[in-house]
Amino acid sequence: MEGSPIDIVVFAPLAPILGVLLFWFIQLLFIESEKILLSKIRPKHEPLCRFTNFLGILFQSVCHALGYTITKSGISDFYISVNYGRVAPKKEKKGIFEWIANAFLFIGPFFLPAFLLLVFLFFSPVNFEIITPSPLIELKYTFAGQIMTFGASLHAFAEGFFGFLFNIDLLHPGHFGFLLLLIFLGMGMRPSYIGEKKQEKVDMLYDLKNIWSLITHKPLYLIILFMAAYIFFYISLFFNGDWFVALFSILGWVSIISIVAIIIANILLFLIKTTDEIPGIWKFIPYLVMPVSYISARVLFFYVPLENTNFISLLLMASLTALVTFLLLKYKTNKLKSTRKIKMSKKKSKGEADEG
């Protein structure tokens, strides 16, 4: 084991912690982009936006209730609606118990729902597995070694997770159910607003402000949490185990699931925003193309067996949907005609001005 004592004792435990914080910040950025898309489709799709807000409030309230349950405060009142959620404890506990419950409220929604999907991946018959390479022994407990071990673990998980998604069988009930849960997670990671009159907007600054308030309200608890993390690292070091980096790797896996869920939700919202520009019933054609093209491809490959038929079917479905949407935008909208008319009118006005 190489590396200076300061590197091993002080800096090495920070490596996976900083890695998790980085992925969590990426989550916040993607959530903000999703809220921008939701605001753009809200005028025409108010029910969908209200549903996504309900999902966000549901996840938030369940995490808050779990915080009260873990701290043995009990739950006396649990109320959620499309616009608002409230969870009240049976026993008002202060100090560390209140801080933990608030941590579940402000931080839990970013990790706990995705953690349930992670459990589903490992304990359901979806043929999902990861193989994490062994770290370099001589760098194992240094800052660089912890970063490489953390990165290798995330790379291995991402490889297995994306391999599963790119070959997902939409005709398999378990696979299709997981995809629906993934979409619900992406749509409802965070609510867009809280309050009957939508006066309190929930954005990235709102989340950061609440978390900053949680930290500054009782900074001693955060220091204790860091000390516990360092002690756990030293125990792993003493027993020559990978327990410390494994714990934070799981948080990294959860962040990857959340980010992928939000990206899928953004793709669907972008499709909705794009098809809104297509007039009449033509706007529904891309949504019909998806199941028809996928099922047709699966039937074709049933009689003409090939390798990676699930991936090819998904690729055909996505390609045909994008192509049909583009053609409908080109031939069923007046954008190109309007652009030509504007150019012709400008040329005509310029000609009349020259004659004058």
Side-chain angles (χ1 to χ4, degrees):
M1 178 174 57
E2 297 182 357
S4 66
I6 295 178
D7 184 9
I8 296 173
V9 175
V10 178
F11 296 109
L14 289 175
I17 296 175
L18 294 176
V20 170
L21 289 177
L22 174 62
F23 275 84
W24 174 72
F25 187 74
I26 294 173
Q27 277 182 249
L28 286 175
L29 293 178
F30 276 108
I31 290 172
E32 199 66 18
S33 68
E34 180 181 356
K35 290 177 181 177
I36 293 173
L37 284 172
L38 284 171
S39 66
K40 290 183 177 180
I41 69 171
R42 187 178 298 276
K44 293 184 178 180
H45 300 279
E46 180 69 21
L48 174 62
C49 293
R50 287 167 61 85
F51 176 69
T52 61
N53 197 72
F54 171 77
L55 286 177
I57 292 175
L58 174 64
F59 292 157
Q60 180 176 282
S61 301
V62 169
C63 290
H64 201 190
L66 183 60
Y68 283 134
T69 302
I70 289 177
T71 57
K72 295 184 178 181
S73 301
I75 300 171
S76 65
D77 186 24
F78 185 94
Y79 169 80
I80 59 171
S81 68
V82 172
N83 301 305
Y84 185 70
R86 182 181 68 254
V87 182
K90 285 184 179 179
K91 301 175 183 178
E92 290 286 348
K93 292 188 176 182
K94 301 296 183 181
I96 187 67
F97 299 104
E98 181 185 19
W99 192 84
I100 292 175
N102 288 332
F104 271 83
L105 171 63
F106 297 135
I107 303 176
F110 297 103
F111 296 98
L112 291 179
F115 179 76
L116 296 179
L117 283 184
L118 180 65
V119 173
F120 179 87
L121 272 176
F122 281 107
F123 292 97
S124 62
V126 295
N127 298 324
F128 176 80
E129 61 179 359
I130 60 172
I131 302 175
T132 306
S134 300
L136 297 176
I137 300 301
E138 65 273 11
L139 297 173
K140 188 174 181 180
Y141 294 107
T142 63
F143 183 87
Q146 291 289 288
I147 281 288
M148 286 190 291
T149 305
F150 179 78
S153 177
L154 263 60
H155 178 268
F157 175 80
E159 187 176 17
F161 185 54
F162 285 112
F164 166 68
L165 287 181
F166 290 154
N167 291 278
I168 195 169
D169 183 2
L170 298 182
L171 301 182
H172 187 290
H175 290 203
F176 186 70
F178 176 81
L179 182 61
L180 286 181
L181 292 176
L182 195 66
I183 293 172
F184 286 160
L185 173 65
M187 289 287 189
M189 181 65 67
R190 298 294 290 132
S192 300
Y193 56 86
I194 293 179
E196 293 292 336
K197 297 182 180 180
K198 308 177 189 177
Q199 293 178 350
E200 191 172 8
K201 183 181 179 182
V202 181
D203 55 10
M204 183 175 176
L205 293 178
Y206 173 88
D207 287 323
L208 290 175
K209 184 168 56 177
N210 281 333
I211 294 172
W212 179 251
S213 176
L214 177 70
I215 293 173
T216 56
H217 180 62
K218 293 290 185 180
L220 177 62
Y221 297 150
L222 185 65
I223 295 174
I224 294 173
L225 192 63
F226 262 91
M227 290 177 61
Y230 270 74
I231 292 172
F232 185 52
F233 172 79
Y234 300 145
I235 293 174
S236 298
L237 174 64
F238 180 78
F239 289 100
N240 195 28
D242 294 326
W243 310 326
F244 182 79
V245 74
L247 172 64
F248 286 93
S249 294
I250 293 174
L251 295 177
W253 299 350
V254 169
S255 291
I256 290 175
I257 292 176
S258 298
I259 292 170
V260 171
I262 298 168
I263 291 175
I264 293 175
N266 280 348
I267 293 173
L268 293 177
L269 292 175
F270 181 76
L271 178 62
I272 293 172
K273 177 180 176 294
T274 304
T275 54
D276 282 344
E277 300 177 8
I278 302 172
I281 61 173
W282 294 100
K283 68 175 63 177
F284 299 107
I285 298 299
Y287 302 104
L288 293 176
V289 168
M290 286 191 284
V292 171
S293 60
Y294 183 81
I295 294 174
S296 300
R298 292 298 303 274
V299 171
L300 174 63
F301 293 134
F302 179 77
Y303 293 101
V304 185
L306 295 175
E307 293 185 358
N308 301 318
T309 56
N310 290 345
F311 172 73
I312 297 174
S313 300
L314 289 173
L315 184 62
L316 285 174
M317 179 185 70
S319 302
L320 288 175
T321 303
L323 177 62
V324 169
T325 304
F326 173 77
L327 293 176
L328 288 173
L329 285 172
K330 183 176 181 180
Y331 294 106
K332 292 299 178 180
T333 60
N334 296 321
K335 284 190 172 183
L336 295 178
K337 296 179 182 179
S338 301
T339 305
R340 291 174 182 173
K341 288 180 180 180
I342 292 173
K343 290 181 179 179
M344 291 178 64
S345 62
K346 286 183 178 179
K347 289 181 180 180
K348 187 175 180 182
S349 301
K350 185 177 180 182
E352 292 176 353
D354 292 338
E355 292 178 359

